[in-house]
Amino acid sequence: MSEQEHNNRNNSGPDSGQQTTAQNDGARGPVPGMPQPPVNPWAQQAPPPPGIPQPPVNPWAQQQGNAWTQPPAAPGYAPPASAWEQPNPYRGGPLPQPGYTPPPKPGIIPLRPLGLGEILDGAFQACRRNALAAFGNAFVVQAVITLLVVGLGAGFFVSVDGWLQSGSASGEVTGPVLGTVVGAVSTLGGLSLAGVLIVQGLLVLPVVRSILNLRTGFGQVWRLARGSLGPLAGLALLMLAGAAVGVTVLAVLVYLIIDTLGAAGLLVVIPALFAVVAAVVWVSVKLSLAPAALVLEGIGVFPAIRRSWRLTGRNWWRTFGIMALTSLIVNVLSQVLTVPLSFAASMLTLTDSTVLIGVSVVLIFAFSLLLTAVACGFQSAVTALLYVDLRIRREGFDLALMKDQENPQAQDSDFLPGRNAVPMARNTPHGPPAGMK
């Protein structure tokens, strides 16, 4: 057998046939029914042409077993810090409190609706920071009013004594004596009321300035209120005239009822007096914010009355309660301080020394005047903060104060916050402020 025939016989064996078939099948494609390896989509992409910049390599794509890749981060993007990277008070930093930002408090009160404690504390802080402006001006006004009251009281007493000595009023209350007494009571009470109104109007200036942490001097109060002193005096005279007319009419009616009905007239007079007192209290609270509005907003007498009437609308009981509580606290503290001095002065009057008696009378008068000034100053500061609180609740006055805080003119020594504030509607349970509906 030749060598060529031997080779042909060896190539025609079974192994050679399988090998040839497999080669042919591989050339034709995958064999049906056999599992195929997963196709890599990235391997099917054609290589980019030369000269085009390539994207940065994604480290996540280099991990074995991860068939997904993440797109590159956007420019300037920073992933959020983990919980372990947040400030921690145990590691030297406070934890953040998302969802709540406390209101700013540049001065004596936070710029938001106030509570009772914040009003009382703010009034105390305002008087403490501006003691000379608050208590000094109150002392001056109360001293002038007290001297007028003493002088007029002495004149009325001399007039009544002259009528009694003449015999025309013996055994009965005559018209001239009754008119003199009524005139004395209404005039003296009206003067005291005028003093309180003037102090309330003046002290709104240092209180509002203290909200932005601005201090106010003694003479600066009069300089800032220079344009409002005339309308403030007119408001005091108007209320004085109203009080005098009301007391006179009431006294005449009481006299006529008792003179007509006799003792039975008391059954009508006593309930009527209670009703009159309630009406006077209601009107007094409604008009209590007029001096503050007149001085701070620079308006006239009747606009200030309307302003106070509107601000206290639907807030009468709250205003009355805070003012009544303040008055009770001040009166209790005044009595606690006055009783020991009165006892010491009474001990001095038991002596026969005219000098000691005169000194004791002067000390009692001066100390009483000082306590009256302090009490009037603190109550006026509370009334001023009530005025600010009602404007915050109804008009968004806190937003105007925040704007004034950022005003470059706030550094001026005579800057008056809230003078040109525009009332804004606020979503309150009572709706927008009166006059804006």
Side-chain angles (χ1 to χ4, degrees):
M1 185 181 293
S2 63
E3 182 178 1
Q4 183 177 1
E5 294 176 353
H6 178 75
N7 292 335
N8 291 335
R9 182 178 294 179
N10 292 336
N11 292 336
S12 61
D15 296 336
S16 62
Q18 293 178 0
Q19 181 179 2
T20 303
T21 302
Q23 291 176 357
N24 294 333
D25 293 340
R28 291 193 302 266
V31 179
M34 296 183 63
Q36 304 297 325
V39 180
N40 190 352
W42 303 102
Q44 305 298 329
Q45 297 179 358
I52 297 180
Q54 304 299 319
V57 179
N58 191 346
W60 297 97
Q62 306 298 327
Q63 295 182 2
Q64 296 182 358
N66 186 5
W68 300 95
T69 59
Q70 296 182 358
Y77 172 77
S82 64
W84 299 101
E85 298 175 357
Q86 299 294 336
N88 194 321
Y90 299 101
R91 295 191 291 134
L95 284 172
Q97 300 295 332
Y100 173 73
T101 301
K105 186 181 179 182
I108 57 175
I109 59 171
L111 298 183
R112 58 169 175 77
L114 306 176
L116 173 61
E118 291 169 333
I119 291 177
L120 296 178
D121 179 70
F124 176 78
Q125 294 293 334
C127 294
R128 184 181 64 85
R129 297 184 183 186
N130 308 278
L132 192 59
F135 299 134
N137 287 302
F139 183 84
V140 170
V141 174
Q142 290 297 324
V144 173
I145 296 299
T146 302
L147 292 177
L148 290 176
V149 167
V150 171
L152 292 177
F156 285 126
F157 177 78
V158 171
S159 299
V160 172
D161 184 69
W163 283 103
L164 294 176
Q165 293 296 332
S166 64
S168 59
S170 58
E172 61 181 5
V173 178
T174 60
V177 174
L178 179 62
T180 303
V181 172
V182 171
V185 172
S186 59
T187 302
L188 299 181
L191 285 175
S192 301
L193 176 63
V196 172
L197 293 177
I198 293 174
V199 173
Q200 286 181 358
L202 293 177
L203 289 194
V204 70
L205 300 176
V207 170
V208 174
R209 284 172 55 85
S210 297
I211 295 176
L212 298 186
N213 202 24
L214 301 174
R215 297 186 180 273
T216 309
F218 177 83
Q220 189 177 11
V221 173
W222 297 95
R223 184 169 64 251
L224 292 174
R226 181 174 56 248
S228 301
L229 291 178
L232 188 60
L235 177 64
L237 291 176
L238 180 62
M239 292 189 176
L240 175 62
V245 171
V247 171
T248 302
V249 172
L250 180 63
V252 171
L253 291 177
V254 170
Y255 173 76
L256 292 177
I257 291 174
I258 294 179
D259 185 65
T260 304
L261 301 179
L266 295 176
L267 299 177
V268 179
V269 169
I270 294 177
L273 288 178
F274 281 107
V276 169
V277 170
V280 168
V281 171
W282 183 76
V283 173
S284 300
V285 173
K286 295 289 290 184
L287 302 179
S288 60
L289 305 181
L294 186 149
V295 175
L296 184 62
E297 302 179 31
I299 56 181
V301 175
F302 293 101
I305 293 175
R306 291 194 297 268
R307 194 86 169 88
S308 177
W309 200 277
R310 291 175 178 175
L311 285 176
T312 54
R314 300 181 181 178
N315 289 279
W316 188 92
W317 283 106
R318 183 173 181 272
T319 305
F320 169 74
I322 294 177
M323 296 178 67
L325 179 61
T326 305
S327 178
L328 178 62
I329 293 174
V330 169
N331 288 331
V332 170
L333 293 179
S334 299
Q335 292 298 325
V336 170
L337 296 175
T338 304
V339 168
L341 181 65
S342 301
F343 179 76
S346 63
M347 297 299 295
L348 292 176
T349 56
L350 296 178
T351 62
D352 296 333
S353 176
T354 307
V355 176
L356 291 179
I357 295 176
V359 169
S360 64
V361 172
V362 171
L363 287 178
I364 292 176
F365 179 77
F367 189 74
S368 300
L369 184 60
L370 180 61
L371 282 181
T372 303
V374 172
C376 184
F378 180 73
Q379 288 180 296
S380 299
V382 171
T383 304
L385 284 180
L386 270 174
Y387 163 76
V388 172
D389 174 62
L390 290 179
R391 289 194 64 182
I392 289 176
R393 293 174 181 272
R394 298 178 64 89
E395 302 176 357
F397 190 54
D398 51 340
L399 303 179
L401 293 176
M402 292 179 192
K403 184 177 180 180
D404 287 339
Q405 184 184 6
E406 300 174 356
N407 191 345
Q409 298 180 356
Q411 305 301 324
D412 187 9
S413 59
D414 288 343
F415 180 74
L416 189 58
R419 169 54 69 91
N420 300 319
V422 178
M424 294 177 291
R426 166 162 258 174
N427 293 328
T428 61
H430 307 308
M436 298 182 61
K437 298 182 180 180

